[in-house]
Amino acid sequence: MRGRRSFLALLGAGAAALAVAASTSLSAPAMAATTPVTDTGTDLAGWTTVVGDGIYAAAGQAPVNAADITTEHRGADSRLRSNILNRGIMAHNITYKPVVDASMMTLVHQASYSFQMPFVPSTAGGPRNAQTVEGGLFVWDGANTRYDYGTAFQWVLNPWDANFGKIRVWTGSSWSAAGYLKPDTAWHQVSFLVDPSGQRVELSIDGTQIPAPFSRTTKNGWGTEVAARLQAEAISLWPGSTATWGPQHEVLVKDWSWTRS
């Protein structure tokens, strides 16, 4: 399986990987009581959509680009789509909300959203199939430690993969099996907690705790801002090395909430 794919830096340059397990302490700054701030939405309108690096182009195919992905905001939900032109590629849609502020490292972040596969991936093929659904919550400390802290999950949805249906978490160097979610068309809710100064994360799906490490990574070329981001992702099916066509992948996301306190 590929290493953790990069994310576009929040100010438009660079990309973020999920992190390596922490082995050194962060110094928690003294801080006064903070009034919680909560952002919510029914769809992801106002979020940013970029191409991630979980991509592949078969022989003769043009490189994956922004025309291969889209996120449609429909009021009741948003639809993340990858490989919308049905090319012989694997495309990676990252849709994320950034918050750039020096206080992000001192706060505890709690976020959630619901997601749904509108189809069940199958070896029977067809116009829609999938590689993964993923999501995470991270804080980039570009001003001080220059580490990216957070947690993320991956739902394996390639129906030819022996890990079909497994939930994985990112350890910093690889994805690690942490549970199972039967591929279906039901709505599921993922919840994240990231406490950078306390070196603590929590991850749950449908109320079930998923064992996930507090993780961090260094980032080359990233800015000096302190910034947090909540993200949802869809990676389309790997098409094969000689493919001239590939199926579309889509996932629905709705009812997101992000509290910082």
Side-chain angles (χ1 to χ4, degrees):
M1 199 68 183
R2 292 176 178 265
R4 179 61 185 162
R5 289 164 303 282
S6 301
F7 296 94
L8 193 71
L10 297 176
L11 295 183
L18 284 182
V20 278
S23 58
T24 61
S25 297
L26 301 173
S27 58
M31 47 185 287
T34 301
T35 300
V37 174
T38 300
D39 296 328
T40 63
T42 53
D43 69 5
L44 309 185
W47 292 33
T48 300
T49 298
V50 296
V51 175
D53 70 348
I55 57 177
Y56 176 83
Q61 295 290 309
V64 179
N65 61 76
D68 294 307
I69 64 169
T70 191
T71 297
E72 302 164 349
H73 308 301
R74 310 189 301 182
D77 61 34
S78 287
R79 182 167 69 146
L80 282 66
R81 300 169 59 202
S82 299
N83 197 11
I84 62 177
L85 301 178
N86 295 115
R87 300 200 296 124
I89 61 169
M90 182 170 73
H92 183 183
N93 178 327
I94 303 174
T95 297
Y96 70 95
K97 176 179 175 62
V99 177
V100 181
D101 191 275
S103 69
M104 293 299 102
M105 276 295 296
T106 69
L107 302 179
V108 176
H109 302 258
Q110 293 179 280
S112 66
Y113 55 75
S114 295
F115 62 94
Q116 180 202 40
M117 285 290 295
F119 63 96
V120 176
S122 170
T123 57
R128 296 187 296 181
N129 231 319
Q131 189 71 28
T132 66
V133 166
E134 304 180 15
L137 178 63
F138 296 93
V139 181
W140 162 244
D141 183 19
N144 298 293
T145 65
R146 299 195 64 78
Y147 284 113
D148 194 36
Y149 304 94
T151 189
F153 78 96
Q154 177 190 78
W155 190 16
V156 180
L157 293 171
N158 180 332
W160 287 274
D161 193 317
N163 294 307
F164 184 54
K166 285 189 177 179
I167 296 293
R168 293 169 161 172
V169 294
W170 182 248
T171 67
S173 60
S174 64
W175 288 105
S176 177
Y180 177 82
L181 181 63
K182 181 180 178 180
D184 59 19
T185 59
W187 281 99
H188 301 283
Q189 184 182 64
V190 60
S191 298
F192 310 93
L193 181 147
V194 175
D195 177 5
S197 62
Q199 300 186 64
R200 178 172 62 104
V201 298
E202 294 179 6
L203 174 65
S204 67
I205 296 178
D206 296 338
T208 298
Q209 288 291 124
I210 307 296
F214 177 76
S215 60
R216 68 175 188 173
T217 192
T218 55
K219 306 310 300 174
N220 295 322
W222 279 41
T224 59
E225 74 279 3
V226 176
R229 65 192 184 278
L230 175 62
Q231 56 211 32
E233 308 170 54
I235 302 179
S236 64
L237 185 70
W238 185 77
S241 60
T242 61
T244 59
W245 178 92
Q248 180 183 189
H249 174 28
E250 57 188 75
V251 62
L252 307 181
V253 179
K254 69 175 184 177
D255 297 338
W256 66 272
S257 176
W258 181 0
T259 297
R260 302 175 292 278
S261 60

